Amino acid sequence: MIRNLRRAVRRAYRRKVDLSHPARSPLGSTVVNCVIYEDGVRQPDTRPTDEALRRVRKSGRGFVWIGLHEPSGTEFAGIAELFGLHPLAVEDSVHAHQRPKVERYDETLFAVFKTCRYVEHEELTATSEVVDTGELMIFTGADFVITVRHGPHGSLGPLREALEADPAQLAKGPAAVLHAIADQVVDDYLAVADSMQIDIDAVESDVFSGQAGRGDASRIYQLKRELLELKRAVAPLDRPLQALVTRPMPPVGPDIQPYFRDVADHLARVTEQITSFDALLDSILQAHLAQVTVAQNEDMRKITAWAAIIAVPTMVCGVYGMNFDHMPELRWTYGYPLALGVMATACLVIHRSFRRAGWL
């Protein structure tokens, strides 16, 4: 009941996406938006990409932010040529499936982030998908930001709205956008890790409640696989963030570097959580396997005890079933009841001994 309440609260406070906002685009459009920002303020007029860039460079102030969703090579070629993007970075952004990284090409910074989303489920099973990942590529220059998103989630609409509500921060230029994106991505990691903790606590409770079936190992393995998916998104990002914090890397200047330090701290927290979760799942798995082994040993002891009890009458019956004329009390009137009494007494004594030893 407590677990279901936690999930209900988490759903209630999840950020809603309003596609009617001008920062959002109709579904299915490759170019999400092209917006000019001057002194941290969004300019109301909408212009084609080339005109927007021409205006920004002519005025010498502000920058243009272009958002794309899963563009093809042909669709992205014109933008790449217009902004002078490096072919290798363009290839990575189109084909996706890249490790998180930050690379510098002349005066352009190319960053790759793995976006993560927790997949809600009523009950964890051996096939439940817990972590869903996508990719987000960011080209950052002196007067432009180009974001390329892959996957159905990781919308930057709420982030754009938050930045527009803080013109002083947005006025710091494209580096402020890069920081905000990195901060949101890492915050999503924290949210996913916190949600996975509920699943891990549930599995741990089931294992140590004494009611877990022998199939629970598959649920633990599934959680470990999903945790590995999150780890692949988080772990490679540590070195690029440290590079943004410690080394001058245009267009990230000294005024914005401290903000990346805060993001790096949050990433370190997620990394520690993943490490502790992995160790805890290993312990839970070992505990479960130990419980299975103990249960098997108990079954074997019971089988052995009953086999020992049955062996006594089997032996007596086997002796008296042999065809010999001269056997003790063979023709005695009370020989048959006596043999049965001896067998019953012996079985009771052995049964009582096994009960005292905890085998039955």
Side-chain angles (χ1 to χ4, degrees), residues 115-121 128-134 153 189 192-193 196 199 222-223 225-231 233:
T115 57
C116 287
R117 178 179 66 92
Y118 179 78
V119 181
E120 293 286 355
H121 48 270
S128 295
E129 184 182 13
V130 179
V131 179
D132 184 24
T133 59
H153 59 87
Y189 293 161
V192 172
M196 289 191 72
D199 291 324
Q222 179 65 12
L223 267 180
R225 283 195 295 266
E226 296 299 310
L227 185 65
L228 180 60
E229 186 77 13
L230 178 60
K231 185 177 182 179

Side-chain angles (χ1 to χ4, degrees), residues 52-190:
L53 181 62
R54 193 179 304 115
R55 170 181 168 176
V56 167
R57 290 184 174 173
K58 182 179 180 180
S59 64
R61 46 198 287 260
F63 63 95
V64 57
W65 182 352
I66 302 172
L68 301 98
H69 180 250
E70 297 183 354
S72 64
T74 303
E75 292 169 329
F76 198 27
I79 295 177
E81 183 179 0
L82 178 64
F83 288 89
L85 305 180
H86 196 280
L88 291 177
V90 172
E91 182 181 359
D92 288 347
S93 62
V94 171
H95 294 95
H97 304 295
Q98 305 296 315
R99 280 171 55 89
K101 60 183 178 180
V102 174
E103 296 177 340
R104 179 181 176 183
Y105 295 96
D106 296 328
E107 297 302 312
T108 301
L109 210 60
F110 176 61
V112 178
F113 298 108
K114 286 277 189 181
T115 57
C116 287
R117 178 179 66 92
Y118 179 78
V119 181
E120 293 286 355
H121 48 270
E122 295 299 329
E123 183 179 359
L124 181 68
T125 65
T127 57
S128 295
E129 184 182 13
V130 179
V131 179
D132 184 24
T133 59
E135 290 186 47
L136 187 61
M137 290 79 169
I138 305 100
F139 293 88
T140 311
D143 52 13
F144 67 87
V145 176
I146 302 174
T147 56
V148 182
R149 183 167 57 91
H150 290 266
H153 59 87
S155 172
L156 296 177
L159 172 69
R160 188 187 290 267
E161 294 171 22
L163 281 172
E164 290 174 359
D166 187 6
Q169 181 70 9
L170 194 55
K172 295 179 181 179
V177 177
L178 178 60
H179 159 261
I181 293 174
D183 189 48
Q184 176 176 293
V185 168
V186 175
D187 284 347
D188 288 342
Y189 293 161
L190 285 168

